[in-house]
Amino acid sequence: MTISMYDISVAVFSARLKALDSVLALAEQNAADRKIDPQVFLSARLAPDMFALTRQVQIATDHAKGAPSRLAGREVPKYEDNESSFEELHARIAKTLDHLASFSAADLDGSEERTIELRLAGREVSMSGLQYLLHAAMPNFYFHITTAYDILRHNGVPLGKATFLGR
């Protein structure tokens, strides 16, 4: 059985972003229920040297829109990174999901061998599409959605694994 690059990229990014959107909706409701200013959650971070929740969501969507774009040889859409509310984060996720919906499996066929060149850790690197997806894009994406979840859970939002998984 062959697994397509589409199935391990676009389909996964889409499912996880929908789950992240649900996590954010639960956090937004929790803030209202507990009479907490939403900015408390949006600016929260796990450690002083880590990015806040808003930036975690921005970076996660950057990987989700960037990976299939690079794999398909398309220009990566640029977002302004100016979101400052749950509403704006939901809109960013929706925009990313719309972008992901513009890809078909055929767009990514053969991309496992496409050379992907990008800047990582301050240096230019070149790798195959499959290496890029599995060793750069996906780990970074999962790191940031997990960190967003962890920030909210740490701040008392009642989330569980099923919520993270989108169930």
Side-chain angles (χ1 to χ4, degrees), residues 45-52 56:
R45 56 188 75 225
L46 290 179
D49 64 344
M50 292 181 76
F51 289 125
Q56 300 294 342

Side-chain angles (χ1 to χ4, degrees), residues 78-97:
K78 303 271 191 262
Y79 296 172
E80 290 188 39
D81 295 338
N82 60 0
E83 293 81 13
S84 61
S85 69
F86 280 109
E87 181 181 346
E88 290 171 343
L89 290 176
H90 290 301
R92 183 182 179 112
I93 290 171
K95 182 170 45 171
T96 305
L97 288 168

Side-chain angles (χ1 to χ4, degrees), residues 8 20 51 53 62-63 66 69 78 81-82 100 108 125 131 138 146 150-151 157 160:
I8 63 171
L20 177 60
F51 289 125
L53 175 69
D62 286 347
H63 285 287
S69 298
K78 303 271 191 262
D81 295 338
N82 60 0
L100 291 171
L108 276 70
V125 296
Q131 286 178 317
M138 278 298 181
T146 301
D150 289 345
I151 288 169
V157 178

